[in-house]
Amino acid sequence: MAYNFKQIEKKWQKKWEETKIFEVSEKSKKKKFYVLEMYPYPSGSGLHIGHGLNYTLGDIYARFKRMNGLNVLHPMGFDSFGLPAENAAIKVGVHPKKYTQKSIAAFINQQKSLGWSYDWKRIVSSCEAEYYKWNQLFFLKFLEKGLAYRKKAPVNWCPKCKTVLANEQVHNGVCEYHKNTEVGIKHLEQWFIKTTEYADELLNCTDSLNWPKRIKVMQKNWIGKSFGTEINFEINKEEWPVFTTRPDTIYGVTFMVISAQHSRLMDIVTADYEDEVKKFLKKIKSVSEKDVEELEKEGVFTGSYAINPLTNEKIPVYAGNFVIADYGSGMVMAVPAHDQRDLEFAKKYKIKIKQVIEGNFTRDRAYTGEGKLINSEEFNGVKSKEAINKITELLQKKKLGKKTVQYKLRDWLISRQRYWGTPIPIVYCNKCGIVPIPEKDLPVLLPEKVKFGKGNPLKTNSSFVNIKCPKCKGQAKRETDTMDTFFDSSWYYMRYCDSKNFKKPFDKKKIDYWMPVDQYIGGAEHACLHLLYSRFFTKALRDLGFVKFDEPFAKLFNQGMLHASDGRKMSKSLGNVINPIEVVKNYGADSLRLALMSFASLDSDTHWDEKVLVGNFKFVNKVVEYYTNVKIEKSNVKIESRLNKMIRDVSEYLENFKYNLAIIKIRELFNYFPQENSKDVLEKFLKILHPFCPHITEELWEKIGNENFISLEKWPEVDEKKIDENLEKQEEAVEKLVKDIHHVLSLVNKSSSKVYVYVLPNEKKNYIDNLELIKKRTELDVVIFAVNDKKKYDPENKSKKTKPGKPGIYLE
RNA sequence: GCGGGGAUGCUGGAGCGGUCAAACAGGACAGACUCAAAAUCUGUUGGCUUAGUGCCUACGUAGGUUCGAACCCUACUCUCCGCACCA
């Protein structure tokens, strides 16, 4: 019969809530520890199994740390602005606010049913004015400091989202949220945050972070620092700087390519070639951005020529589809012999190819490696690595170029043409231009009465749009774009430290006490989004005097993805979705928690397995049953030895997120539990199991006579003195005997009911002590003799087979 | 193309120089209990061999280092994941 998990879980969830035992304050004498999982977007469909994994993972860690005597901050909140709510509003006709509030209420209910131990009084919801007010404040501070600016730029536009997106939200030319929708380019005036200001610091600090290697690598690549040389090429008497990492190949430059998207492209195009260039631009616009690798390198001659600063050669300038407009200067010097792209282009347009580095160059394959320079006048014979410096020096001396650094990282575009987000606190005045809303007038409230479905609801709301200019009091219009929701999530973890502060985003003392987050937990998909923005935000706020630390998340753990049992991604259309709440209904939260943690190592991708769930459910049932029937007696040294060893192992496993192995150790020990056990052992076992199964452990803790919460108990310490390897060797010897008896039994192939065991006199005690166990395991009548026992029954003289640790056996 | 991770028995998945035919779980099989089943309990689960032994073949493929390799090195194959025309 299954135990009554429904009743038990409800009971303890209610008690935890009523007694507020997970609420913490910075006044504690204990050392602080901040455990955080990435806050969820409260979707209307409720918790999914990925949430189950992520938050259980964090909860176990929080409970573990709490029991280890730390003052653990473990908060929860909601990333509650964002498109889905707004789209639902358009579709179903519910206001996003109502929709979101309802979703959050449902979320909280479900979260509580999984037994997650949060300090609920610190709850944060980013769509509330009391939160987004501070977004607006930070924006104004950024603006003051030059970290926020407005500029007209080619930006990514998703026709499904009906808004622009940041670089980080576009992959392979498609929208992060609509994988079938191609992102187009629009030229718009938008608000940017100057993340590039911190590119170098972000890059340099990466190494020191205690984060998974791959996340660090991804961020490094995203920031993409490269060292090179800026070389000035003269085109139509004007200097055009061009970035290159290979100035050593400058004598091999045979043409130039300017990006087709370059804002000044038309300045170069001569009258004769205007038509052709325009035709080309039209053509590449219609080409899909998606299949970049298959895209052929194409271009068109602009009619202009550039002068190679070292050779004074006249070389043609092309407009090309493979040059990125906003990396470097949007123009490249092309060296077809030593760059594959340039080679393909040169072959297509029959441009001269000139080899300048010794190496394995063919007409199909550019040589991109190192080597001695050739055809390079005074630099002939110089090794390419050396030549990079020498040529740069020469250019610098002649004022034709300089050493520089380039980053791939672009500034963060935060404007969104959508309603459900933080209003950007800006006014446009015909007289005064861009005017920030004064701090004292914050928050700029998001108007609630708006019309959905006809473009940006803020734009059509005249009472919102029309405002008097804060400076000249003349007629002005508000900014109607809202902020990217990643702006919200860039500092929510700081707000938790002081979430009820209505005067400031947070109190300095409190933030100094709690921050940085000691252990952050979340998916790897945020490597170059949330995690990078948050790092930027921290550094920017530090320089604005808000905080003192440099990095927000000291340690990071990335859990793997949990796929469906068929190995595919869980999705409604495939019908393979596991709903955690259903599982809780049928098996209870404790079993679900245990199952989620035991599929595989937590940092690797794995898949759902019903059998694992059932197996864990059975285990939980056995534990409950054991504690209901166990006789509380004196403990025995063997159990204590194993217990202490288990405590040692599990503590280490928990610390390192090897929960799957921790569970195995716990189960192993439980399998050794005899009919009777000491209270001490029973209590310690519950404590170790508690982070995984908080409900039944509270219940059983109470059942064996405790009145306080096991949640607040101290983690058992390892008593090394009690760990006795000899005891285990003895147990193993008994195990071995049982196995041997079974073995012989299977060989003799006849039914036996009695077994005579002949042991060395000094080993006899060990076997006598375990006589009951041997009987039970062999299901035979067992008689143990010492080999020197004169009266022993030994018809086949099997006692002569006895060796140390290996008794003789006779079956009858 | 660049970068990162994997490949273990019927399955999931530990192990990361000896104590490994390989934890733990599941499945399958056998036995006990039962009128029977479920649940529970006790075993077996690479091959051959033996009253508890010994041997052989095994940890993607091929080599190498070592007294000794699933574990280290090299190459290859396959696979998953990030980034991707960044000059």
Side-chain angles (χ1 to χ4, degrees):
Chain A
M1 246 269 292
Y3 75 106
N4 192 341
F5 51 83
K6 269 184 201 160
Q7 190 199 324
I8 292 172
E9 290 178 3
K10 268 237 168 71
K11 169 180 163 187
W12 291 102
Q13 283 159 13
K14 202 172 153 218
K15 285 201 181 196
W16 292 332
E17 195 169 343
E18 284 168 357
T19 51
K20 303 180 175 178
I21 58 169
F22 303 125
E23 291 189 2
V24 284
S25 106
E26 57 286 345
K27 289 182 188 110
S28 165
K29 279 180 190 147
K30 296 177 191 168
K31 212 176 143 201
K32 73 98 183 179
F33 197 87
Y34 191 172
V35 183
L36 184 68
E37 304 101 47
M38 291 176 185
Y39 74 162
Y41 175 81
S43 95
S45 48
L47 246 48
H48 59 70
I49 201 78
H51 290 124
L53 180 79
N54 185 215
Y55 297 113
T56 298
L57 179 44
D59 188 59
I60 289 169
Y61 205 71
R63 286 180 182 273
F64 173 61
K65 287 288 170 186
R66 200 178 284 127
M67 291 176 87
N68 273 286
L70 294 164
N71 189 27
V72 174
L73 174 57
H74 188 222
M76 177 44 64
F78 298 96
D79 185 14
S80 49
F81 267 141
L83 268 183
E86 188 174 346
N87 289 339
I90 294 165
K91 212 173 163 186
V92 218
V94 197
H95 194 279
K97 181 151 202 168
K98 276 231 171 88
Y99 178 87
T100 304
Q101 281 170 344
K102 208 178 138 196
S103 300
I104 290 178
F107 249 71
I108 293 176
N109 251 330
Q110 299 188 350
Q111 286 168 323
K112 287 184 176 167
S113 78
L114 272 127
W116 294 333
S117 59
Y118 299 124
D119 178 349
W120 283 107
K121 80 164 190 290
R122 293 172 182 267
I123 190 167
V124 161
S125 176
S126 57
C127 71
E128 301 293 337
E130 60 181 74
Y131 184 80
Y132 69 69
K133 174 181 177 179
W134 309 114
N135 280 348
Q136 295 171 340
L137 176 77
F138 291 143
F139 178 86
L140 294 177
K141 295 285 183 196
F142 287 169
L143 188 68
E144 250 170 61
K145 238 204 152 199
L147 286 172
Y149 65 94
R150 189 165 169 84
K151 109 180 155 181
K152 187 167 182 175
V155 292
N156 305 303
W157 172 270
C158 173
K160 279 254 177 74
C161 296
K162 295 200 176 73
T163 180
V164 299
L165 299 169
N167 264 314
E168 287 80 5
Q169 288 150 25
V170 179
H171 295 283
N172 297 327
V174 297
C175 166
E176 169 100 31
Y177 311 99
H178 302 99
K179 308 267 177 196
N180 299 319
T181 308
E182 261 174 60
V183 169
I185 300 289
K186 280 200 175 187
H187 288 261
L188 293 171
E189 257 200 42
Q190 301 282 293
W191 284 101
F192 288 86
I193 301 294
K194 211 167 178 185
T195 43
T196 51
E197 180 82 15
Y198 288 91
D200 222 27
E201 197 194 332
L202 287 167
L203 185 72
N204 292 339
C205 292
T206 311
D207 280 323
S208 64
L209 294 169
N210 190 353
W211 286 18
K213 197 175 160 192
R214 63 185 189 122
I215 302 291
K216 296 208 272 188
V217 171
M218 277 160 81
Q219 287 206 351
K220 277 188 182 176
N221 290 342
W222 189 258
I223 296 166
K225 186 178 188 176
S226 48
F227 298 90
T229 307
E230 200 175 82
I231 303 175
N232 296 327
F233 283 79
E234 194 188 307
I235 303 171
N236 304 335
K237 311 262 182 240
E238 200 188 333
E239 280 199 342
W240 287 74
V242 162
F243 178 77
T244 179
T245 53
R246 293 294 301 270
D248 54 320
T249 62
I250 188 161
Y251 289 92
V253 177
T254 55
F255 60 103
M256 307 285 288
V257 187
I258 181 168
S259 167
Q261 280 91 22
H262 201 287
S263 55
R264 292 192 53 209
L265 170 62
M266 282 309 169
D267 297 354
I268 290 179
V269 178
T270 60
D272 297 350
Y273 287 89
E274 213 177 297
D275 284 351
E276 254 183 89
V277 171
K278 280 189 174 157
K279 233 194 313 182
F280 171 69
L281 291 183
K282 221 175 184 178
K283 186 185 162 196
I284 60 165
K285 244 190 185 162
S286 65
V287 170
S288 142
E289 255 197 72
K290 257 197 301 195
D291 309 306
V292 178
E293 56 188 299
E294 282 143 47
L295 191 68
E296 205 179 323
K297 308 210 173 352
E298 278 187 290
V300 60
F301 182 46
T302 59
S304 292
Y305 290 87
I307 310 290
N308 183 324
L310 289 192
T311 63
N312 289 322
E313 257 177 300
K314 220 174 130 187
I315 49 176
V317 180
Y318 284 75
N321 64 349
F322 67 97
V323 177
I324 295 168
D326 52 357
Y327 181 77
S329 54
M331 193 189 296
V332 296
M333 58 176 232
V335 189
H338 306 291
D339 183 288
Q340 192 59 27
R341 292 158 303 183
D342 298 349
L343 179 65
E344 281 168 36
F345 195 91
K347 273 173 19 189
K348 181 161 179 161
Y349 297 103
K350 305 208 161 50
I351 307 169
K352 202 169 91 182
I353 298 167
K354 184 180 168 194
Q355 187 178 1
V356 290
I357 308 278
E358 233 171 36
N360 190 12
F361 164 73
T362 68
R363 274 194 64 85
D364 292 321
R365 194 90 212 149
Y367 177 69
T368 54
E370 292 173 18
K372 278 185 186 160
L373 268 63
I374 50 172
N375 301 323
S376 300
E377 298 176 11
E378 57 186 286
F379 296 100
N380 282 338
V382 180
K383 282 184 190 155
S384 47
K385 245 188 177 165
E386 234 174 283
I388 288 176
N389 292 325
K390 287 198 167 159
I391 290 175
T392 304
E393 273 165 33
L394 177 70
L395 288 165
Q396 216 146 347
K397 214 160 69 191
K398 292 188 170 181
K399 303 225 181 314
L400 293 168
K402 60 176 188 212
K403 233 177 164 166
T404 59
V405 166
Q406 275 294 331
Y407 297 92
K408 283 197 229 174
L409 185 73
R410 313 296 153 71
D411 282 339
W412 172 20
L413 166 54
I414 58 152
S415 302
R416 296 291 180 274
Q417 289 70 47
R418 298 297 301 228
Y419 166 74
W420 195 232
T422 305
I424 297 174
I426 288 291
V427 163
Y428 300 102
C429 171
N430 285 335
K431 266 197 218 154
C432 316
I434 296 173
V435 182
I437 298 277
E439 266 178 46
K440 64 174 173 52
D441 294 340
L442 296 183
V444 175
L445 287 171
L446 191 64
E448 288 195 24
K449 281 189 185 161
V450 290
K451 277 185 203 133
F452 292 102
K454 283 173 191 154
N456 181 353
L458 289 182
K459 231 173 187 152
T460 54
N461 187 309
S462 56
S463 63
F464 176 78
V465 173
N466 295 314
I467 182 179
K468 280 187 182 149
C469 168
K471 257 193 197 161
C472 71
K473 307 293 171 201
Q475 264 303 313
K477 286 192 187 305
R478 277 188 201 272
E479 167 70 67
T480 55
D481 285 353
T482 54
M483 293 183 199
D484 181 5
T485 54
F486 280 106
F487 203 93
D488 312 350
S489 58
S490 291
W491 70 282
Y492 76 100
Y493 46 89
M494 299 190 200
R495 181 70 180 168
Y496 282 138
C497 301
D498 193 15
S499 65
K500 296 288 178 287
N501 196 330
F502 298 110
K503 293 189 177 143
K504 290 184 276 186
F506 40 74
D507 181 77
K508 263 190 183 165
K509 272 188 198 149
K510 290 183 181 175
I511 204 121
D512 284 346
Y513 176 80
W514 289 114
M515 285 298 290
V517 174
D518 295 280
Q519 179 65 59
Y520 201 28
I521 297 160
E525 68 276 13
H526 284 295
C528 299
L529 291 155
H530 163 60
L531 288 170
L532 194 60
Y533 295 142
S534 295
R535 293 184 62 210
F536 159 80
F537 231 84
T538 300
K539 292 175 190 301
L541 291 187
R542 176 200 62 199
D543 292 346
L544 284 164
F546 281 94
V547 303
K548 284 185 188 159
F549 46 92
D550 299 312
E551 289 285 344
F553 314 123
K555 211 172 155 207
L556 174 70
F557 182 81
N558 280 134
Q559 79 276 19
M561 290 258 283
L562 181 62
H563 293 297
S565 46
D566 54 14
R568 293 188 288 184
K569 275 194 179 170
M570 282 194 197
S571 84
K572 274 183 204 151
S573 57
L574 290 170
N576 56 8
V577 175
I578 299 293
N579 179 346
I581 302 309
E582 283 299 305
V583 177
V584 169
K585 267 186 202 153
N586 296 327
Y587 295 93
D590 286 336
S591 299
L592 172 63
R593 292 170 63 113
L594 219 41
L596 283 169
M597 298 301 115
S598 51
F599 292 119
S601 166
L602 288 166
D603 52 8
S604 61
D605 289 353
T606 182
H607 52 259
W608 176 261
D609 188 342
E610 190 79 17
K611 284 178 198 148
V612 173
L613 173 68
V614 175
N616 280 293
F617 179 63
K618 281 184 189 170
F619 170 70
V620 174
N621 272 290
K622 276 188 224 171
V623 172
V624 173
E625 201 177 295
Y626 178 80
Y627 273 80
T628 336
N629 300 323
V630 69
K631 279 190 217 139
I632 297 180
E633 299 274 341
K634 268 195 206 157
S635 175
N636 65 61
V637 284
K638 279 187 246 162
I639 286 296
E640 292 204 330
S641 172
R642 284 192 185 271
L643 173 79
N644 280 288
K645 216 171 160 184
M646 182 274 261
I647 295 171
R648 190 219 272 152
D649 291 344
V650 171
S651 305
E652 200 192 310
Y653 287 147
L654 277 171
E655 187 60 53
N656 300 309
F657 294 102
K658 297 186 172 181
Y659 295 179
N660 55 329
L661 302 182
I663 292 168
I664 285 165
K665 291 288 171 195
I666 292 171
R667 282 176 152 231
E668 266 178 1
L669 177 71
F670 182 74
N671 286 341
Y672 273 100
F673 272 5
Q675 298 284 31
E676 36 201 67
N677 218 332
S678 75
K679 194 162 181 232
D680 180 60
V681 172
L682 291 172
E683 288 186 350
K684 282 183 175 154
F685 180 80
L686 284 183
K687 287 182 187 176
I688 302 290
L689 182 62
H690 174 258
F692 297 96
C693 303
H695 308 91
I696 58 149
T697 48
E698 286 283 13
E699 179 72 15
L700 299 174
W701 178 252
E702 186 184 63
K703 200 168 221 156
I704 58 175
N706 295 291
E707 285 177 356
N708 54 345
F709 287 102
I710 195 170
S711 296
L712 300 179
E713 274 295 307
K714 265 203 133 154
W715 190 253
E717 271 178 39
V718 182
D719 188 345
E720 295 283 350
K721 279 176 288 181
K722 287 192 170 160
I723 299 177
D724 185 345
E725 301 290 344
N726 276 334
L727 283 173
E728 269 171 53
K729 273 190 192 134
Q730 286 177 17
E731 279 192 46
E732 272 161 34
V734 172
E735 287 295 320
K736 214 173 159 203
L737 173 66
V738 170
K739 208 167 179 174
D740 282 348
I741 294 172
H742 277 294
H743 192 168
V744 179
L745 207 53
S746 68
L747 289 170
V748 293
N749 201 20
K750 64 174 183 191
S751 58
S752 306
S753 58
K754 205 154 185 177
V755 56
Y756 299 91
V757 177
Y758 314 99
V759 302
L760 294 177
N762 65 333
E763 291 177 357
K764 188 174 177 189
K765 188 174 181 299
N766 185 31
Y767 293 99
I768 292 288
D769 287 351
N770 288 291
L771 189 57
E772 284 313 307
L773 180 77
I774 300 167
K775 281 184 178 171
K776 186 186 159 205
R777 296 280 301 277
T778 56
E779 295 173 318
L780 292 170
D781 192 8
V782 182
V783 183
I784 293 169
F785 294 110
V787 280
N788 59 356
D789 187 345
K790 297 249 164 68
K791 283 183 247 162
K792 65 178 183 288
Y793 175 72
D794 187 10
E796 288 188 15
N797 202 17
K798 293 291 183 193
S799 61
K800 73 168 194 286
K801 287 216 166 195
T802 302
K803 286 176 199 161
K806 193 172 154 79
I809 298 164
Y810 174 66
L811 277 171
E812 194 177 74

